[in-house]
Amino acid sequence: MARQFFVGGNFKMNGSVESIKKIIAHLNEAKTDEKTEVVIAPPALYLLLAREHLKPGFEVAAQNVFDKPNGAFTGEISVDQLKDSGITWTLLGHSERRVILQEDDGFVASKCKFALDGGIGVILCCGESLEQRERNETIQVVTSQLGAVAKALGSKAEEYFKKIVIAYEPIWAIGTGKVATSAQAQEVHAAIRKWLSTAVSETSAAEVRVIYGGSVSEKNCKELATQQDIDGFLVGGASLKPAFVDIINSRL
């Protein structure tokens, strides 16, 4: 079964009411590849605004969600609140939260399971630092991050992974202008697929989408999209620009 190409736009802590309306208007009006699944992740304050204005067929993701039901958790957002607002996806495990906010593998895994149990799809981020890559620890680091999630999902991991998109984002390439070469990205994506085959199932290895993130732009997306195991992109800064449409159309 062919894996559907997936392009996510992570706005991070950027945007205003006016700018997000403009971004969405451009997306709505653009001619985009109908075979590509498109999801945008604005800041939490603008989730409802995005869902209200974004055309049907495009989805909205939160940038984070908590691993507890509604309650006394100041500053957090619950799975139920996302569902109530028509939000169908969430990012989890982004390196900026792992590094700056010190979210460890266990916490990311717990949030992942809670989101999936509540019916929210997860864009699960993983990736290594420059130092880890230079020590040839890339595959070890990435599979360890993913392994924590698989462990939390337990015996039903194969079923859970049907609602997970894995986003490989080398930390050294995020927002730096440095991009993993097509060969470097393909190597890690192939290793992730191999890990899926042994840690989850052969079915998951064949069906789970593994997308690339890290300074993806309209200039490099087409070459990256030709790689056998790259099933799309998680786009940062470029998702705020008109060129995001070119990335969505990488395979046209």
Side-chain angles (χ1 to χ4, degrees), residues 2 17 20 27 31-32 54 68 108 127 132-133 136 224 235:
V17 170
I20 287 174
L27 276 177
K31 182 172 172 41
T32 54
L54 193 64
K68 300 288 190 298
V108 172
Q132 289 165 333
R133 172 165 280 275
N136 295 316
L224 286 162
V235 185

Side-chain angles (χ1 to χ4, degrees), residues 36 68 138 194:
T36 297
K68 300 288 190 298
T138 296
K194 182 180 178 181

Side-chain angles (χ1 to χ4, degrees), residues 6 23 47 78 92-93 98 114-115 125 137 142 158 163 166 183 185 192-193 195 203 207 213 216 219 225-227 249:
F6 184 105
I23 291 167
L47 287 170
S78 74
L92 287 174
R98 290 181 188 267
F114 205 85
C125 303
E137 296 173 353
V142 168
E158 181 179 331
K163 284 292 291 176
I166 297 173
I192 290 172
R193 216 167 286 291
W195 172 84
T203 300
E207 295 181 356
V216 176
K219 296 176 182 177
T226 63
Q227 299 302 305
N249 292 335

Side-chain angles (χ1 to χ4, degrees), residues 1 7 23 25 54 65-66 74 105 131 144 172 174 187 205 211 232:
M1 184 179 74
V7 175
I23 291 167
L54 193 64
V65 72
F66 203 48
T74 301
D105 291 350
E131 294 77 13
S144 177
W172 49 271
I174 298 174
E187 179 186 17
I211 64 177

Side-chain angles (χ1 to χ4, degrees), residues 72 87 108-109 127 240:
I87 309 304
V108 172
L240 303 168

Side-chain angles (χ1 to χ4, degrees), residues 24 46-55 60 85:
I24 290 173
Y46 304 122
L47 287 170
L48 278 170
L49 175 78
R51 184 59 280 168
E52 179 185 348
H53 289 273
L54 193 64
K55 70 180 181 182
V60 179
S85 301

Side-chain angles (χ1 to χ4, degrees), residues 178-206:
K178 297 179 181 178
V179 185
T181 65
S182 295
Q184 285 175 322
Q186 168 59 26
E187 179 186 17
V188 180
H189 282 231
I192 290 172
R193 216 167 286 291
K194 182 180 178 181
W195 172 84
L196 280 167
S197 71
T198 56
V200 186
S201 73
E202 290 286 354
T203 300
S204 295

